[in-house]
């Protein structure tokens, strides 16, 4: 048993998110490529830049905790990305694939929202307010991204996807 304390459990969570963000930086360029809607491409590009900053932010978190930045393979993100890749192969390119890409991206955002929310709460609990504030910053970005994707789906993509038979 390698995790026996609350501190270790918190650290394990951060290592999981750190790996998750790296996986996302590899997946997003493929999603940008696969997207047709210019709004969606733009949103993915923006989030790729944001994700790179989130990695740097996590490195600051490890630093504040006096820990080495380490990746623990995130199995959930791997699975979510694999489902997205299936869609890219199966779904006809255009508004239908755009809808599927948004679906996949939002599943990842929700996983991140849960992970960062938990990590933020753990940090607060441990009295590490500086760490909690950094995690909260990223949490906000993930929530905003999720909302933006909902808006794009509702205003452009889904209507077009449903109109085509
Ligand atoms: Fe992220
Ligand atoms: Fe994970
Ligand atoms: Fe994200």
């Amino acid at each position: 048993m390698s995790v026996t304390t609350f501190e270790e459990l918190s650290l394990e969570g951060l290592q999981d998110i750190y790996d998750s963000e790296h996986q996302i930086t590899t997946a997003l360029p493929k999603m940008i490529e696969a997207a047709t809607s210019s709004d969606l491409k733009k949103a993915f590009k923006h989030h790729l830049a944001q994700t790179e900053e989130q990695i740097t932010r996590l490195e600051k978190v490890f630093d504040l905790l006096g820990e080495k930045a380490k990746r623990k393979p995130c199995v959930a993100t791997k699975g979510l990305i694999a489902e997205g890749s299936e869609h890219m192969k199966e779904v006809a390119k255009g508004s239908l694939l755009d809808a599927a890409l948004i679906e996949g991206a939002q599943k990842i955002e929700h996983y991140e929202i849960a992970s960062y929310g938990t990590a933020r709460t753990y940090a607060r609990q441990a009295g590490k307010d500086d760490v909690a504030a950094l995690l909260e910053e990223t949490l906000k970005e993930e929530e905003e991204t999720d909302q933006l994707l909902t808006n794009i789906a509702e205003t452009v993509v889904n209507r077009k996807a449903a109109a085509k038979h």
Side-chain angles (χ1 to χ4, degrees), residues 47 54 109 112 142:
H47 200 51
Q54 292 172 354
E109 291 315 310
E112 292 190 280
E142 310 294 17

Side-chain angles (χ1 to χ4, degrees), residues 16-31 34 48 51 71 73-90 97 100-101 103-109 111-112:
D16 180 283
I17 305 179
Y18 189 54
D19 181 72
S20 174
E21 296 290 17
H22 279 91
Q23 290 191 54
I24 293 165
T25 56
T26 313
L28 274 169
K30 294 171 198 160
M31 294 162 76
L48 176 57
T51 302
R71 291 170 65 171
C74 175
V75 181
T77 301
K78 199 176 170 212
L80 290 168
I81 289 174
E83 285 193 3
S85 301
E86 276 181 359
H87 267 158
M88 285 190 232
K89 283 184 217 134
E90 293 165 355
L97 179 56
L101 288 168
E103 177 192 333
Q106 286 192 290
K107 285 179 181 176
I108 294 174
E109 291 315 310
Y111 178 74
E112 292 190 280

